[in-house]
Amino acid sequence: MKVFDQKKDNVFKILSESISEGIVIVNEKQEVVTSNEAAERMFGYGSHELLGEKLDVLIPKEYRSSHPKQVEAFMDKSDPRQMGHGRDLYGLRKDGTTFPVEAGLNPFEVYGNKYVMALVTDISIRKNQELEIIELNVSLEHKIEERTKELQKTIKELKEEVTKRKQAEHKMKESLRKERELNELKTKFLSLVSHEFKTPLSGILTSATLAGKYTETDQQDKREKHLKTIQSKVKYLNNILNDFLSIERLESGKATYKFEIFPLSKVVNEVIYNANMLLKDGQKIKYPSNIDEITVNFDEKILELSLTNLINNAIKYSPEYTTIDVVVVQKQSAIEIKIIDEGMGIPKSEQKFIFNRYFRAENALLDQGTGIGLNIVKSHLENLSGKITFESEEGKGSTFTIIFPTNNNLS
Ligand code: ADP
């Protein structure tokens, strides 16, 4: 301590030893002129061992090159500042190890000599803590990421579970609805059967009784007339039963279809033959031309049921001495069949309800019927990629058209 007198030196010593920061003072040549115990301990030197050493011994090699100039420039400026400026600073221990420091430089002048006092703090512990915090943060982020993934997985599983349950609930509701409808259907069937079957059955009974009375050979004509009535009424009842069976199958999801290749004329002949028994006086069915060559790949029973319903309706809702025209048009991969009648037609305001189950138009109520035929024809045809449409004018007649694919791929 050449630069301070004894008293001051002592005061400085007391002060400098009582603070935990290391103090190193260098002269213009950057030689250490004094250091406190904290600095010596920090840099691993013995008491006074640093005196006269170049400042460089406290600075790791890689930071040295630019340092002397910086110190010189700094000495000239003579205002205190913090070293590092955001960079990490390191100190070099006597044993060659380095440690992170924070250093503040304070230039001063005594008796015309310039000095710089460096206040050095060992920040190893803080740095370690910072590192630990960073590591902790990283592992925390990692954990959060993992948890988020787990959570997303759980949410996904939950969503799937919810969807499954919803589907199950929907299925249950659907089957409950079907069951309810089937029950309604059964009730309706019972009441319809009582109404709809009563008249034809009593007709059958009358005809049978009368036919039984004609015992003479020359009364064969009359007997045949009654037998025909019986036949037609049985057919009528049979058709109603078929319709009901269809509804039951459609409703319970048990409707199955069978595709077969068959000549179109086979079904058309059969339906017209049976319909002939229902014709009123003077009614005629005009057989379609050019159908002998047509074969189709379709459900034969459904085609028969559809045509029977349409032709029977045409007969039922047309007066005597009218013609029912059956027209077949072969399309590229579909067949179109039109049933054209000259009957009572369907009132415009009721046309939109005509395919609703049990719906019967106001002007048709005097004729017997259940209101289910068109509904099931539509359902079946749509299930088989077919279609039914109609045009009708009240008092003039109706045209019902069905169209169905001939090369069906369904099985
Ligand atoms: P149903 O004939 O047993 O009443 P459908 O379902 O076959 O039942 O027909 C429903 C209704 O559509 C009939 O009640 C009738 O009002 C009307 N309808 C169907 N076909 C014709 C037709 N060719 N001419 C006039 N009305 C018809």
PDB file of all heavy atoms in Angstrom, residues 264 268 288 291 294 296 303 307 326-340 387 389 399-406:
ATOM      1  N   LEU A 264     -89.786 -59.080 -67.501  1.00  0.00           N
ATOM      2  CA  LEU A 264     -90.721 -58.090 -66.949  1.00  0.00           C
ATOM      3  C   LEU A 264     -92.169 -58.534 -67.200  1.00  0.00           C
ATOM      4  O   LEU A 264     -93.053 -58.365 -66.355  1.00  0.00           O
ATOM      5  CB  LEU A 264     -90.460 -56.722 -67.598  1.00  0.00           C
ATOM      6  CG  LEU A 264     -91.343 -55.591 -67.123  1.00  0.00           C
ATOM      7  CD1 LEU A 264     -91.099 -55.285 -65.657  1.00  0.00           C
ATOM      8  CD2 LEU A 264     -91.102 -54.329 -67.951  1.00  0.00           C
ATOM      9  N   VAL A 268     -95.828 -58.400 -64.978  1.00  0.00           N
ATOM     10  CA  VAL A 268     -96.918 -57.557 -65.502  1.00  0.00           C
ATOM     11  C   VAL A 268     -98.149 -58.430 -65.796  1.00  0.00           C
ATOM     12  O   VAL A 268     -99.276 -58.088 -65.425  1.00  0.00           O
ATOM     13  CB  VAL A 268     -96.446 -56.793 -66.758  1.00  0.00           C
ATOM     14  CG1 VAL A 268     -97.601 -56.054 -67.419  1.00  0.00           C
ATOM     15  CG2 VAL A 268     -95.346 -55.811 -66.377  1.00  0.00           C
ATOM     16  N   PRO A 288     -99.248 -53.201 -71.716  1.00  0.00           N
ATOM     17  CA  PRO A 288     -98.133 -52.468 -72.337  1.00  0.00           C
ATOM     18  C   PRO A 288     -97.574 -53.214 -73.547  1.00  0.00           C
ATOM     19  O   PRO A 288     -97.510 -54.441 -73.543  1.00  0.00           O
ATOM     20  CB  PRO A 288     -97.090 -52.382 -71.230  1.00  0.00           C
ATOM     21  CG  PRO A 288     -97.402 -53.521 -70.333  1.00  0.00           C
ATOM     22  CD  PRO A 288     -98.884 -53.734 -70.393  1.00  0.00           C
ATOM     23  N   ILE A 291     -92.937 -55.370 -74.381  1.00  0.00           N
ATOM     24  CA  ILE A 291     -92.192 -55.676 -73.158  1.00  0.00           C
ATOM     25  C   ILE A 291     -91.677 -57.118 -73.145  1.00  0.00           C
ATOM     26  O   ILE A 291     -90.997 -57.528 -72.207  1.00  0.00           O
ATOM     27  CB  ILE A 291     -93.020 -55.408 -71.868  1.00  0.00           C
ATOM     28  CG1 ILE A 291     -94.229 -56.340 -71.762  1.00  0.00           C
ATOM     29  CG2 ILE A 291     -93.407 -53.962 -71.750  1.00  0.00           C
ATOM     30  CD1 ILE A 291     -94.786 -56.376 -70.348  1.00  0.00           C
ATOM     31  N   ILE A 294     -87.979 -57.614 -72.520  1.00  0.00           N
ATOM     32  CA  ILE A 294     -87.303 -56.954 -71.381  1.00  0.00           C
ATOM     33  C   ILE A 294     -87.103 -57.904 -70.199  1.00  0.00           C
ATOM     34  O   ILE A 294     -88.056 -58.485 -69.684  1.00  0.00           O
ATOM     35  CB  ILE A 294     -88.103 -55.715 -70.901  1.00  0.00           C
ATOM     36  CG1 ILE A 294     -88.309 -54.748 -72.062  1.00  0.00           C
ATOM     37  CG2 ILE A 294     -87.399 -55.031 -69.731  1.00  0.00           C
ATOM     38  CD1 ILE A 294     -89.159 -53.545 -71.730  1.00  0.00           C
ATOM     39  N   VAL A 296     -85.314 -57.996 -66.297  1.00  0.00           N
ATOM     40  CA  VAL A 296     -84.800 -57.052 -65.302  1.00  0.00           C
ATOM     41  C   VAL A 296     -84.108 -57.817 -64.176  1.00  0.00           C
ATOM     42  O   VAL A 296     -84.370 -58.995 -63.963  1.00  0.00           O
ATOM     43  CB  VAL A 296     -85.932 -56.182 -64.697  1.00  0.00           C
ATOM     44  CG1 VAL A 296     -86.457 -55.220 -65.709  1.00  0.00           C
ATOM     45  CG2 VAL A 296     -87.042 -57.031 -64.124  1.00  0.00           C
ATOM     46  N   LEU A 303     -91.657 -55.593 -56.995  1.00  0.00           N
ATOM     47  CA  LEU A 303     -92.235 -55.063 -58.229  1.00  0.00           C
ATOM     48  C   LEU A 303     -93.705 -55.463 -58.311  1.00  0.00           C
ATOM     49  O   LEU A 303     -94.586 -54.660 -58.650  1.00  0.00           O
ATOM     50  CB  LEU A 303     -91.456 -55.590 -59.444  1.00  0.00           C
ATOM     51  CG  LEU A 303     -91.958 -55.086 -60.787  1.00  0.00           C
ATOM     52  CD1 LEU A 303     -91.865 -53.563 -60.868  1.00  0.00           C
ATOM     53  CD2 LEU A 303     -91.183 -55.707 -61.942  1.00  0.00           C
ATOM     54  N   LEU A 307     -96.796 -52.788 -58.430  1.00  0.00           N
ATOM     55  CA  LEU A 307     -97.737 -52.711 -59.558  1.00  0.00           C
ATOM     56  C   LEU A 307     -99.151 -53.064 -59.097  1.00  0.00           C
ATOM     57  O   LEU A 307    -100.140 -52.439 -59.524  1.00  0.00           O
ATOM     58  CB  LEU A 307     -97.296 -53.644 -60.687  1.00  0.00           C
ATOM     59  CG  LEU A 307     -96.049 -53.200 -61.459  1.00  0.00           C
ATOM     60  CD1 LEU A 307     -95.684 -54.223 -62.530  1.00  0.00           C
ATOM     61  CD2 LEU A 307     -96.268 -51.828 -62.099  1.00  0.00           C
ATOM     62  N   VAL A 326    -101.338 -49.129 -68.993  1.00  0.00           N
ATOM     63  CA  VAL A 326    -100.050 -49.469 -68.378  1.00  0.00           C
ATOM     64  C   VAL A 326     -98.967 -49.259 -69.439  1.00  0.00           C
ATOM     65  O   VAL A 326     -98.974 -49.902 -70.477  1.00  0.00           O
ATOM     66  CB  VAL A 326    -100.041 -50.929 -67.873  1.00  0.00           C
ATOM     67  CG1 VAL A 326     -98.699 -51.269 -67.238  1.00  0.00           C
ATOM     68  CG2 VAL A 326    -101.173 -51.166 -66.899  1.00  0.00           C
ATOM     69  N   VAL A 327     -98.077 -48.301 -69.195  1.00  0.00           N
ATOM     70  CA  VAL A 327     -97.055 -47.964 -70.194  1.00  0.00           C
ATOM     71  C   VAL A 327     -95.667 -48.238 -69.616  1.00  0.00           C
ATOM     72  O   VAL A 327     -95.354 -47.823 -68.503  1.00  0.00           O
ATOM     73  CB  VAL A 327     -97.159 -46.465 -70.585  1.00  0.00           C
ATOM     74  CG1 VAL A 327     -96.072 -46.095 -71.590  1.00  0.00           C
ATOM     75  CG2 VAL A 327     -98.542 -46.148 -71.122  1.00  0.00           C
ATOM     76  N   VAL A 328     -94.904 -48.995 -70.424  1.00  0.00           N
ATOM     77  CA  VAL A 328     -93.542 -49.301 -69.956  1.00  0.00           C
ATOM     78  C   VAL A 328     -92.540 -48.596 -70.857  1.00  0.00           C
ATOM     79  O   VAL A 328     -92.629 -48.674 -72.077  1.00  0.00           O
ATOM     80  CB  VAL A 328     -93.287 -50.823 -69.962  1.00  0.00           C
ATOM     81  CG1 VAL A 328     -91.817 -51.125 -69.635  1.00  0.00           C
ATOM     82  CG2 VAL A 328     -94.204 -51.530 -68.991  1.00  0.00           C
ATOM     83  N   VAL A 329     -91.600 -47.874 -70.243  1.00  0.00           N
ATOM     84  CA  VAL A 329     -90.548 -47.219 -71.028  1.00  0.00           C
ATOM     85  C   VAL A 329     -89.206 -47.743 -70.527  1.00  0.00           C
ATOM     86  O   VAL A 329     -88.916 -47.691 -69.335  1.00  0.00           O
ATOM     87  CB  VAL A 329     -90.589 -45.678 -70.851  1.00  0.00           C
ATOM     88  CG1 VAL A 329     -89.515 -45.015 -71.715  1.00  0.00           C
ATOM     89  CG2 VAL A 329     -91.966 -45.133 -71.148  1.00  0.00           C
ATOM     90  N   GLN A 330     -88.449 -48.296 -71.510  1.00  0.00           N
ATOM     91  CA  GLN A 330     -87.137 -48.806 -71.108  1.00  0.00           C
ATOM     92  C   GLN A 330     -86.104 -47.685 -71.228  1.00  0.00           C
ATOM     93  O   GLN A 330     -85.902 -47.115 -72.287  1.00  0.00           O
ATOM     94  CB  GLN A 330     -86.735 -49.986 -71.989  1.00  0.00           C
ATOM     95  CG  GLN A 330     -85.497 -50.664 -71.464  1.00  0.00           C
ATOM     96  CD  GLN A 330     -85.269 -52.016 -72.119  1.00  0.00           C
ATOM     97  OE1 GLN A 330     -85.811 -52.301 -73.188  1.00  0.00           O
ATOM     98  NE2 GLN A 330     -84.464 -52.855 -71.492  1.00  0.00           N
ATOM     99  N   LYS A 331     -85.482 -47.356 -70.091  1.00  0.00           N
ATOM    100  CA  LYS A 331     -84.442 -46.311 -70.103  1.00  0.00           C
ATOM    101  C   LYS A 331     -83.092 -47.013 -70.168  1.00  0.00           C
ATOM    102  O   LYS A 331     -83.024 -48.247 -70.147  1.00  0.00           O
ATOM    103  CB  LYS A 331     -84.533 -45.478 -68.827  1.00  0.00           C
ATOM    104  CG  LYS A 331     -85.897 -44.882 -68.592  1.00  0.00           C
ATOM    105  CD  LYS A 331     -85.883 -43.439 -68.968  1.00  0.00           C
ATOM    106  CE  LYS A 331     -87.309 -42.916 -68.935  1.00  0.00           C
ATOM    107  NZ  LYS A 331     -87.429 -41.535 -69.183  1.00  0.00           N
ATOM    108  N   GLN A 332     -82.023 -46.213 -70.142  1.00  0.00           N
ATOM    109  CA  GLN A 332     -80.684 -46.800 -70.309  1.00  0.00           C
ATOM    110  C   GLN A 332     -80.398 -47.901 -69.263  1.00  0.00           C
ATOM    111  O   GLN A 332     -80.033 -49.004 -69.627  1.00  0.00           O
ATOM    112  CB  GLN A 332     -79.636 -45.717 -70.227  1.00  0.00           C
ATOM    113  CG  GLN A 332     -78.363 -46.177 -70.889  1.00  0.00           C
ATOM    114  CD  GLN A 332     -77.338 -45.060 -70.903  1.00  0.00           C
ATOM    115  OE1 GLN A 332     -77.414 -44.128 -70.123  1.00  0.00           O
ATOM    116  NE2 GLN A 332     -76.394 -45.164 -71.806  1.00  0.00           N
ATOM    117  N   SER A 333     -80.556 -47.596 -67.997  1.00  0.00           N
ATOM    118  CA  SER A 333     -80.340 -48.668 -67.012  1.00  0.00           C
ATOM    119  C   SER A 333     -81.457 -48.652 -65.979  1.00  0.00           C
ATOM    120  O   SER A 333     -81.247 -48.917 -64.805  1.00  0.00           O
ATOM    121  CB  SER A 333     -78.985 -48.491 -66.332  1.00  0.00           C
ATOM    122  OG  SER A 333     -78.888 -47.188 -65.817  1.00  0.00           O
ATOM    123  N   ALA A 334     -82.644 -48.314 -66.459  1.00  0.00           N
ATOM    124  CA  ALA A 334     -83.809 -48.281 -65.564  1.00  0.00           C
ATOM    125  C   ALA A 334     -85.072 -48.575 -66.360  1.00  0.00           C
ATOM    126  O   ALA A 334     -85.084 -48.468 -67.589  1.00  0.00           O
ATOM    127  CB  ALA A 334     -83.928 -46.921 -64.916  1.00  0.00           C
ATOM    128  N   ILE A 335     -86.080 -48.979 -65.619  1.00  0.00           N
ATOM    129  CA  ILE A 335     -87.382 -49.206 -66.271  1.00  0.00           C
ATOM    130  C   ILE A 335     -88.363 -48.241 -65.636  1.00  0.00           C
ATOM    131  O   ILE A 335     -88.392 -48.075 -64.416  1.00  0.00           O
ATOM    132  CB  ILE A 335     -87.875 -50.648 -66.028  1.00  0.00           C
ATOM    133  CG1 ILE A 335     -86.938 -51.674 -66.675  1.00  0.00           C
ATOM    134  CG2 ILE A 335     -89.310 -50.827 -66.512  1.00  0.00           C
ATOM    135  CD1 ILE A 335     -87.102 -51.825 -68.158  1.00  0.00           C
ATOM    136  N   GLU A 336     -89.185 -47.625 -66.495  1.00  0.00           N
ATOM    137  CA  GLU A 336     -90.199 -46.702 -65.997  1.00  0.00           C
ATOM    138  C   GLU A 336     -91.560 -47.299 -66.350  1.00  0.00           C
ATOM    139  O   GLU A 336     -91.778 -47.698 -67.485  1.00  0.00           O
ATOM    140  CB  GLU A 336     -89.999 -45.354 -66.688  1.00  0.00           C
ATOM    141  CG  GLU A 336     -90.893 -44.265 -66.175  1.00  0.00           C
ATOM    142  CD  GLU A 336     -90.691 -42.992 -66.978  1.00  0.00           C
ATOM    143  OE1 GLU A 336     -91.270 -42.903 -68.083  1.00  0.00           O
ATOM    144  OE2 GLU A 336     -89.952 -42.110 -66.524  1.00  0.00           O
ATOM    145  N   ILE A 337     -92.435 -47.402 -65.339  1.00  0.00           N
ATOM    146  CA  ILE A 337     -93.775 -47.926 -65.618  1.00  0.00           C
ATOM    147  C   ILE A 337     -94.794 -46.905 -65.158  1.00  0.00           C
ATOM    148  O   ILE A 337     -94.747 -46.431 -64.015  1.00  0.00           O
ATOM    149  CB  ILE A 337     -94.016 -49.280 -64.896  1.00  0.00           C
ATOM    150  CG1 ILE A 337     -92.903 -50.280 -65.267  1.00  0.00           C
ATOM    151  CG2 ILE A 337     -95.398 -49.834 -65.250  1.00  0.00           C
ATOM    152  CD1 ILE A 337     -93.036 -51.636 -64.585  1.00  0.00           C
ATOM    153  N   LYS A 338     -95.696 -46.562 -66.081  1.00  0.00           N
ATOM    154  CA  LYS A 338     -96.736 -45.585 -65.750  1.00  0.00           C
ATOM    155  C   LYS A 338     -98.087 -46.274 -65.708  1.00  0.00           C
ATOM    156  O   LYS A 338     -98.410 -47.072 -66.589  1.00  0.00           O
ATOM    157  CB  LYS A 338     -96.803 -44.491 -66.828  1.00  0.00           C
ATOM    158  CG  LYS A 338     -95.648 -43.515 -66.766  1.00  0.00           C
ATOM    159  CD  LYS A 338     -95.805 -42.479 -67.871  1.00  0.00           C
ATOM    160  CE  LYS A 338     -94.608 -41.547 -67.927  1.00  0.00           C
ATOM    161  NZ  LYS A 338     -94.497 -40.660 -66.777  1.00  0.00           N
ATOM    162  N   ILE A 339     -98.878 -45.983 -64.672  1.00  0.00           N
ATOM    163  CA  ILE A 339    -100.249 -46.486 -64.583  1.00  0.00           C
ATOM    164  C   ILE A 339    -101.152 -45.252 -64.717  1.00  0.00           C
ATOM    165  O   ILE A 339    -101.163 -44.395 -63.830  1.00  0.00           O
ATOM    166  CB  ILE A 339    -100.513 -47.164 -63.211  1.00  0.00           C
ATOM    167  CG1 ILE A 339     -99.356 -48.115 -62.828  1.00  0.00           C
ATOM    168  CG2 ILE A 339    -101.870 -47.849 -63.181  1.00  0.00           C
ATOM    169  CD1 ILE A 339     -99.215 -49.347 -63.673  1.00  0.00           C
ATOM    170  N   ILE A 340    -101.828 -45.189 -65.834  1.00  0.00           N
ATOM    171  CA  ILE A 340    -102.611 -43.977 -66.123  1.00  0.00           C
ATOM    172  C   ILE A 340    -104.103 -44.312 -66.022  1.00  0.00           C
ATOM    173  O   ILE A 340    -104.580 -45.252 -66.676  1.00  0.00           O
ATOM    174  CB  ILE A 340    -102.293 -43.464 -67.549  1.00  0.00           C
ATOM    175  CG1 ILE A 340    -100.757 -43.314 -67.686  1.00  0.00           C
ATOM    176  CG2 ILE A 340    -103.002 -42.150 -67.861  1.00  0.00           C
ATOM    177  CD1 ILE A 340    -100.253 -43.294 -69.109  1.00  0.00           C
ATOM    178  N   LYS A 387     -87.969 -45.102 -57.373  1.00  0.00           N
ATOM    179  CA  LYS A 387     -88.691 -43.863 -57.071  1.00  0.00           C
ATOM    180  C   LYS A 387     -90.152 -44.002 -57.478  1.00  0.00           C
ATOM    181  O   LYS A 387     -90.473 -44.756 -58.394  1.00  0.00           O
ATOM    182  CB  LYS A 387     -88.053 -42.748 -57.910  1.00  0.00           C
ATOM    183  CG  LYS A 387     -88.027 -41.393 -57.220  1.00  0.00           C
ATOM    184  CD  LYS A 387     -87.046 -40.489 -57.916  1.00  0.00           C
ATOM    185  CE  LYS A 387     -87.744 -39.689 -58.999  1.00  0.00           C
ATOM    186  NZ  LYS A 387     -86.873 -38.743 -59.674  1.00  0.00           N
ATOM    187  N   THR A 389     -93.543 -41.386 -58.323  1.00  0.00           N
ATOM    188  CA  THR A 389     -94.065 -40.017 -58.409  1.00  0.00           C
ATOM    189  C   THR A 389     -95.480 -40.101 -58.969  1.00  0.00           C
ATOM    190  O   THR A 389     -95.916 -41.181 -59.441  1.00  0.00           O
ATOM    191  CB  THR A 389     -93.226 -39.153 -59.370  1.00  0.00           C
ATOM    192  OG1 THR A 389     -93.147 -39.840 -60.619  1.00  0.00           O
ATOM    193  CG2 THR A 389     -91.829 -38.917 -58.829  1.00  0.00           C
ATOM    194  N   THR A 399    -101.837 -40.208 -62.915  1.00  0.00           N
ATOM    195  CA  THR A 399    -100.776 -41.023 -63.500  1.00  0.00           C
ATOM    196  C   THR A 399     -99.745 -41.288 -62.409  1.00  0.00           C
ATOM    197  O   THR A 399     -99.158 -40.354 -61.875  1.00  0.00           O
ATOM    198  CB  THR A 399    -100.094 -40.299 -64.677  1.00  0.00           C
ATOM    199  OG1 THR A 399    -101.076 -40.068 -65.671  1.00  0.00           O
ATOM    200  CG2 THR A 399     -98.949 -41.123 -65.249  1.00  0.00           C
ATOM    201  N   PHE A 400     -99.577 -42.546 -62.044  1.00  0.00           N
ATOM    202  CA  PHE A 400     -98.543 -42.906 -61.074  1.00  0.00           C
ATOM    203  C   PHE A 400     -97.377 -43.515 -61.842  1.00  0.00           C
ATOM    204  O   PHE A 400     -97.576 -44.364 -62.713  1.00  0.00           O
ATOM    205  CB  PHE A 400     -99.082 -43.902 -60.042  1.00  0.00           C
ATOM    206  CG  PHE A 400     -99.827 -43.207 -58.926  1.00  0.00           C
ATOM    207  CD1 PHE A 400    -101.161 -42.852 -59.088  1.00  0.00           C
ATOM    208  CD2 PHE A 400     -99.189 -42.885 -57.747  1.00  0.00           C
ATOM    209  CE1 PHE A 400    -101.842 -42.192 -58.074  1.00  0.00           C
ATOM    210  CE2 PHE A 400     -99.857 -42.219 -56.722  1.00  0.00           C
ATOM    211  CZ  PHE A 400    -101.194 -41.870 -56.882  1.00  0.00           C
ATOM    212  N   THR A 401     -96.158 -43.063 -61.533  1.00  0.00           N
ATOM    213  CA  THR A 401     -94.978 -43.539 -62.250  1.00  0.00           C
ATOM    214  C   THR A 401     -93.984 -44.139 -61.273  1.00  0.00           C
ATOM    215  O   THR A 401     -93.638 -43.511 -60.276  1.00  0.00           O
ATOM    216  CB  THR A 401     -94.283 -42.359 -62.982  1.00  0.00           C
ATOM    217  OG1 THR A 401     -95.273 -41.695 -63.757  1.00  0.00           O
ATOM    218  CG2 THR A 401     -93.150 -42.829 -63.861  1.00  0.00           C
ATOM    219  N   ILE A 402     -93.555 -45.367 -61.582  1.00  0.00           N
ATOM    220  CA  ILE A 402     -92.453 -45.899 -60.778  1.00  0.00           C
ATOM    221  C   ILE A 402     -91.253 -46.083 -61.697  1.00  0.00           C
ATOM    222  O   ILE A 402     -91.397 -46.333 -62.901  1.00  0.00           O
ATOM    223  CB  ILE A 402     -92.782 -47.243 -60.068  1.00  0.00           C
ATOM    224  CG1 ILE A 402     -93.091 -48.334 -61.087  1.00  0.00           C
ATOM    225  CG2 ILE A 402     -93.879 -47.091 -59.064  1.00  0.00           C
ATOM    226  CD1 ILE A 402     -93.172 -49.715 -60.450  1.00  0.00           C
ATOM    227  N   ILE A 403     -90.094 -45.874 -61.105  1.00  0.00           N
ATOM    228  CA  ILE A 403     -88.869 -46.068 -61.890  1.00  0.00           C
ATOM    229  C   ILE A 403     -87.898 -46.842 -61.012  1.00  0.00           C
ATOM    230  O   ILE A 403     -87.776 -46.572 -59.826  1.00  0.00           O
ATOM    231  CB  ILE A 403     -88.311 -44.705 -62.393  1.00  0.00           C
ATOM    232  CG1 ILE A 403     -87.074 -44.910 -63.236  1.00  0.00           C
ATOM    233  CG2 ILE A 403     -88.021 -43.737 -61.283  1.00  0.00           C
ATOM    234  CD1 ILE A 403     -86.814 -43.773 -64.207  1.00  0.00           C
ATOM    235  N   PHE A 404     -87.290 -47.855 -61.585  1.00  0.00           N
ATOM    236  CA  PHE A 404     -86.345 -48.653 -60.779  1.00  0.00           C
ATOM    237  C   PHE A 404     -85.177 -49.118 -61.645  1.00  0.00           C
ATOM    238  O   PHE A 404     -85.325 -49.328 -62.851  1.00  0.00           O
ATOM    239  CB  PHE A 404     -87.050 -49.863 -60.127  1.00  0.00           C
ATOM    240  CG  PHE A 404     -87.714 -50.773 -61.113  1.00  0.00           C
ATOM    241  CD1 PHE A 404     -87.036 -51.871 -61.627  1.00  0.00           C
ATOM    242  CD2 PHE A 404     -89.004 -50.524 -61.541  1.00  0.00           C
ATOM    243  CE1 PHE A 404     -87.640 -52.713 -62.547  1.00  0.00           C
ATOM    244  CE2 PHE A 404     -89.627 -51.366 -62.474  1.00  0.00           C
ATOM    245  CZ  PHE A 404     -88.949 -52.457 -62.977  1.00  0.00           C
ATOM    246  N   PRO A 405     -84.000 -49.249 -61.036  1.00  0.00           N
ATOM    247  CA  PRO A 405     -82.818 -49.657 -61.811  1.00  0.00           C
ATOM    248  C   PRO A 405     -82.923 -51.120 -62.250  1.00  0.00           C
ATOM    249  O   PRO A 405     -83.464 -51.947 -61.501  1.00  0.00           O
ATOM    250  CB  PRO A 405     -81.651 -49.468 -60.841  1.00  0.00           C
ATOM    251  CG  PRO A 405     -82.263 -49.461 -59.487  1.00  0.00           C
ATOM    252  CD  PRO A 405     -83.673 -49.014 -59.634  1.00  0.00           C
ATOM    253  N   THR A 406     -82.399 -51.404 -63.420  1.00  0.00           N
ATOM    254  CA  THR A 406     -82.526 -52.784 -63.922  1.00  0.00           C
ATOM    255  C   THR A 406     -81.279 -53.602 -63.646  1.00  0.00           C
ATOM    256  O   THR A 406     -81.297 -54.825 -63.710  1.00  0.00           O
ATOM    257  CB  THR A 406     -82.766 -52.789 -65.428  1.00  0.00           C
ATOM    258  OG1 THR A 406     -81.880 -51.863 -66.014  1.00  0.00           O
ATOM    259  CG2 THR A 406     -84.188 -52.487 -65.773  1.00  0.00           C
TER     260      THR A 406
END
